[in-house]
């Protein structure tokens, strides 16, 4: 498991059973079944080298909750997975600070299954998965925009490039 800054994670603090994250969605997203929500730990202020927080991926029935994780690492991994997933293939995406990969599987019917440590959620389509990932990524970049030297963070740069690519395709 990698280290970042002076932060050290252990499985004991990395997982949580539930999070109460605000669901801030526009009406156009109300019919989507898949969601990505996150919350940064801000008790000591935001710092580029420690973008720790909680992330939650969920559908109508299932949920992946992880606490004390690097949000930029998770978003970057989900982006890499979404961009490399092919029909009827399983894609394993490594997260530098995690001992387990996120696994994405594009099912024959077009749904996307995301799993992590035995927990799994489904998006109705790759389009829905990417749309929700764009929403979460946009909100993340907006939240951290005041931090200096963000261009040195390769994951933040990857998130920004993903949004630029997906803007060009819409």
């Amino acid at each position: 498991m990698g280290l970042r800054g002076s932060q050290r994670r252990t499985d004991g603090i990395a997982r949580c059973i539930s999070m109460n994250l605000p669901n801030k969605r526009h009406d156009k997203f109300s019919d989507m079944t898949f969601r990505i929500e996150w919350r940064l730990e801000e008790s000591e202020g935001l710092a580029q080298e420690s973008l720790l927080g909680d992330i939650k991926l969920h559908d109508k029935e299932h949920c992946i909750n992880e606490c004390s994780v690097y949000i930029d690492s998770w978003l970057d991994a989900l982006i890499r997975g979404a961009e490399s997933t092919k029909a009827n293939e399983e894609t394993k995406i490594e997260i530098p600070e995690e001992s387990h990969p996120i696994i994405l599987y594009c099912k024959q019917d077009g749904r996307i299954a995301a799993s992590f440590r035995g927990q799994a959620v489904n998006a109705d389509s790759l389009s829905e998965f990417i749309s929700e990932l764009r929403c979460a990524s946009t909100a993340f970049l907006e939240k951290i925009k005041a931090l200096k030297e963000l261009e040195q963070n390769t994951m933040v740069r990857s998130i920004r490039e993903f949004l630029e690519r997906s803007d060009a395709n819409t």
Side-chain angles (χ1 to χ4, degrees):
M1 192 176 320
L3 298 176
R4 229 161 125 178
S6 62
Q7 298 289 331
R8 185 179 289 247
R9 292 187 56 251
T10 64
D11 283 345
I13 62 168
R15 312 238 5 211
C16 69
I17 295 170
S18 66
M19 290 187 300
N20 293 319
L21 300 177
N23 190 2
K24 298 177 183 175
R25 294 285 177 247
H26 301 288
D27 288 338
K28 69 180 182 174
F29 295 108
S30 62
D31 60 341
M32 293 176 65
T33 60
F34 175 73
R35 299 272 193 262
I36 301 171
E37 298 173 350
W38 55 266
R39 179 176 41 125
L40 283 171
E41 172 57 51
E42 297 183 66
S43 62
E44 297 179 23
L46 292 178
Q48 171 188 299
E49 61 278 351
S50 181
L51 297 171
L52 281 170
D54 307 332
I55 193 161
K56 179 179 179 180
L57 289 74
H58 61 98
D59 56 30
K60 289 183 177 179
E61 299 175 24
H62 305 97
C63 184
I64 297 172
N65 277 327
E66 292 296 316
C67 295
S68 297
V69 298
Y70 291 101
I71 303 300
D72 55 335
S73 292
W74 270 75
L75 291 175
D76 175 65
L78 292 169
I79 290 165
R80 287 184 285 119
E83 292 183 334
S84 62
T85 297
K86 295 181 175 74
N88 296 317
E89 277 189 23
E90 180 180 278
T91 305
K92 291 183 180 181
I93 308 99
E94 299 296 326
I95 304 172
E97 302 83 14
E98 298 288 346
S99 59
H100 297 86
I102 296 174
I103 300 170
L104 294 184
Y105 181 73
C106 184
K107 298 178 180 182
Q108 197 166 10
D109 63 3
R111 289 184 302 142
I112 301 293
S115 65
F116 183 73
R117 296 188 207 212
Q119 304 171 63
V121 295
N122 293 289
D124 287 339
S125 65
L126 182 59
S127 173
E128 179 184 54
F129 188 90
I130 289 173
S131 179
E132 186 61 17
L133 187 52
R134 281 179 43 103
C135 182
S137 296
T138 299
F140 177 74
L141 290 181
E142 181 65 26
K143 180 74 173 177
I144 65 168
K145 70 181 179 184
L147 295 177
K148 298 190 184 320
E149 301 176 11
L150 282 176
E151 286 306 314
Q152 294 177 7
N153 181 319
T154 58
M155 287 171 225
V156 170
R157 191 169 46 240
S158 170
I159 295 165
R160 186 172 287 117
E161 290 169 356
F162 161 71
L163 292 172
E164 290 168 359
R165 285 191 305 274
S166 55
D167 283 345
N169 293 331
T170 55

